[in-house]
Amino acid sequence: MLVYEFKLKGSKHQFSAIDEAIQIGQFIRNKCLRYWMDAPREEKVNRFSLNKYCKVLADNPEYPFVAKLNSMARQSMAERAWASISRFFENCKKKVSGKKGYPKFKKFSRSVEYKTSGWKISKDKKAITITDGTGIGKLKLVGSRDLSYYQSEQIKRVRLVRRADGYYAQFCIDIERQESVEFTGRAIGLDVGLNHFYTDSEGNQIENPRYLRKSEKALKRLQKNLSRKHKRGQPQSKRYHKNRVKLGRIHLKISRQRQDHAVKLARCVCQSNDLIAYEDLSVKNMVKNHCLAKSISDAGWTQFREWVDYFAQLFGKQVVAVAPNYTSQNCSNCGQRVKKTLSVRTHVCSCGTILDRDENAARNILALALQILSGGQKLTLRERRISAKDKET
């Protein structure tokens, strides 16, 4: 499945109509969630019953605006409600520690999704027309991607998204993507960190871009100005929303910079190596440390890992996630455990090995990955959790 994104060009009236469609979708999702909450215990509410409830909402004279939205778009919003409900049930079954993610009502939705109806694309694939009763009409598509290579039947979903810098359309195309690259015969271990984004087993280091830290001064200034404005009243409400949009654009720029860095770096790593090994870090638990939470979130390790997994599958490469236990403490040469604090950045062992702390960890990560592939008993955190649950059952 491919997702192509285009920026939309239209009039203020059309963008207001998109906002109305998003609000209708949010209303349907919240109503479906309320229907599930208020249903008696003997009545089993599932995905199909929520889809049927969308028809009830559309026929209800109290909510005439619901019928403006396309029927499949209404169903997609019900599917979003069911996704949050099913995720809650899965977390309860898995006995996830802490909060289980009980479904909440949406306050600020930013997208509405159409399936195979409610929209029509032009012959040159450079414009899209929303054909339901919301009054959005024809919108021009601006982007570097070319939809002319795909048939309209291959487009399974169209999503209208509102962001700080405008409105976008996302096309979900049903196609299997596969690229052929030359095999290099190389294997690499990656150790992510805060001083450097990652250090590989060959001693190469990639600098941490720190996009949030670089933009922090501008963010603080805009946040300070925004806190002085009022949400309501004239003329201060206009100034409040202007500053809110400026602040949102900087956050959007930071997220795009972080994603661009992760995509390009992950693609380069997967093209240059046949085996990629990294630590199976639990970032969710690591950010609980308030001293390092901002720096860890700014690094974007999880996003980088997801793109490594994606490009490895695309290029036919192999990825191994190993348990992070003692990868920084154990010597990569003799295996002796050398305890050190986070402030100690050099690994010095009695066997004579002197390495950068992260390079030593990367070598251990690669060795553990090779041990797993050769039939060793070292398991990742995810595999150990699964095996522990099997023993309980």
Side-chain angles (χ1 to χ4, degrees):
M1 185 72 72
L2 284 179
V3 180
Y4 283 170
E5 185 174 278
F6 298 84
K7 191 164 186 180
L8 295 175
K9 278 197 172 183
S11 62
K12 291 183 179 180
H13 172 73
Q14 290 176 306
F15 292 150
S16 298
I18 295 177
D19 291 337
E20 183 183 1
I22 293 174
Q23 290 177 357
I24 295 173
Q26 176 181 296
F27 175 82
I28 295 171
R29 182 199 176 276
N30 292 340
K31 274 292 184 180
C32 290
L33 199 57
R34 173 55 64 186
Y35 174 72
W36 168 74
M37 291 178 178
D38 297 340
R41 291 187 176 181
E42 58 273 10
E43 181 183 354
K44 293 184 178 180
V45 178
N46 54 22
R47 178 167 58 93
F48 303 103
S49 56
L50 291 183
N51 288 341
K52 292 179 181 179
Y53 185 64
C54 292
K55 177 65 175 175
V56 177
L57 289 174
D59 296 337
N60 194 332
E62 295 182 10
Y63 314 121
F65 53 88
V66 175
K68 293 181 180 180
L69 198 63
N70 178 263
S71 60
M72 285 194 172
R74 297 196 294 263
Q75 291 179 7
S76 66
M77 302 310 297
E79 289 175 0
R80 291 187 182 184
W82 178 249
S84 61
I85 296 170
S86 61
R87 184 168 54 248
F88 167 68
F89 284 141
E90 288 176 3
N91 291 338
C92 293
K93 289 179 182 179
K94 294 178 181 178
K95 297 181 179 180
V96 177
S97 60
K99 295 183 179 179
K100 306 298 185 293
Y102 189 81
K104 295 181 180 180
F105 296 106
K106 284 283 185 181
K107 294 183 179 180
F108 303 103
S109 295
R110 294 176 178 83
S111 65
V112 63
E113 191 173 76
Y114 295 82
K115 294 185 180 179
T116 56
S117 65
W119 57 273
K120 184 178 180 182
I121 197 166
S122 60
K123 292 183 179 179
D124 58 357
K125 305 292 179 65
K126 294 183 178 180
I128 185 173
T129 304
I130 307 299
T131 58
D132 60 359
T134 55
I136 297 175
K138 188 176 181 180
L139 296 163
K140 186 179 179 182
L141 302 175
V142 180
S144 59
R145 302 292 185 177
D146 192 359
L147 288 173
S148 59
Y149 294 106
Y150 310 101
Q151 301 295 328
S152 299
E153 293 77 16
Q154 292 179 284
I155 303 175
K156 299 302 180 183
R157 299 213 174 201
V158 175
R159 188 181 298 116
L160 304 181
V161 184
R162 177 182 61 211
R163 293 202 178 98
D165 63 339
Y167 294 80
Y168 293 82
Q170 294 178 346
F171 295 86
C172 298
I173 304 171
D174 185 14
I175 187 173
E176 290 293 333
R177 185 185 177 192
Q178 193 71 28
E179 293 187 18
S180 59
V181 295
E182 295 182 0
F183 288 93
T184 61
R186 296 178 57 188
I188 193 172
L190 302 179
D191 179 73
V192 294
L194 296 178
N195 289 341
H196 299 90
F197 185 77
Y198 77 69
T199 303
D200 62 22
S201 54
E202 298 176 357
N204 301 317
Q205 294 179 331
I206 300 297
E207 293 298 323
N208 192 352
R210 296 184 177 89
Y211 294 115
L212 179 62
R213 296 288 185 181
K214 292 178 181 178
S215 303
E216 208 166 18
K217 186 176 180 181
L219 286 173
K220 288 181 178 179
R221 183 179 67 252
L222 286 174
Q223 188 64 56
K224 186 177 180 180
N225 293 337
L226 185 66
S227 63
R228 292 173 176 171
K229 308 296 187 298
H230 298 281
K231 292 184 180 181
R232 298 176 181 86
Q234 293 292 338
Q236 294 171 331
S237 60
K238 292 183 180 179
R239 296 177 182 176
Y240 173 86
H241 290 292
K242 283 182 180 180
N243 280 266
R244 180 181 58 83
V245 171
K246 289 180 181 179
L247 184 65
R249 286 187 175 183
I250 294 183
H251 280 292
L252 183 62
K253 180 182 178 181
I254 294 170
S255 65
R256 285 173 173 170
Q257 287 176 326
R258 192 179 293 125
Q259 181 180 1
D260 183 69
H261 178 261
V263 170
K264 291 179 179 178
L265 198 57
R267 186 182 182 93
C268 180
V269 168
C270 293
Q271 282 182 330
S272 305
N273 304 277
D274 294 344
L275 172 63
I276 301 100
Y278 54 71
E279 291 177 300
D280 189 16
L281 296 174
S282 179
V283 180
K284 183 179 179 181
N285 294 332
M286 295 177 68
V287 295
K288 293 179 181 179
N289 184 350
H290 69 279
C291 297
L292 300 175
K294 183 185 289 187
S295 298
I296 292 173
S297 300
D298 190 17
W301 295 338
T302 303
Q303 191 176 39
F304 172 70
R305 171 178 170 168
E306 290 174 353
W307 281 106
V308 168
D309 292 340
Y310 171 76
F311 283 116
Q313 184 179 4
L314 180 64
F315 298 145
K317 303 300 180 68
Q318 196 164 14
V319 173
V320 180
V322 303
N325 305 63
Y326 302 109
T327 53
S328 299
Q329 309 291 338
N330 295 341
C331 180
S332 58
N333 186 28
C334 64
Q336 182 180 354
R337 186 161 298 171
V338 182
K339 294 186 179 181
K340 54 181 87 69
T341 60
L342 283 175
S343 59
V344 179
R345 304 312 305 173
T346 305
H347 170 77
V348 181
C349 183
S350 58
C351 67
T353 303
I354 301 176
L355 286 173
D356 182 82
R357 175 197 181 103
D358 296 335
E359 183 181 354
N360 176 70
R363 292 186 180 185
N364 286 328
I365 291 168
L366 179 59
L368 289 173
L370 295 175
Q371 186 177 358
I372 292 172
L373 294 176
S374 63
Q377 298 302 317
K378 295 286 186 178
L379 300 177
T380 64
L381 289 177
R382 189 178 295 106
E383 291 171 339
R384 284 189 291 171
R385 294 189 193 112
I386 295 173
S387 61
K389 292 175 184 176
D390 293 339
K391 290 178 181 179
E392 291 178 359
T393 56

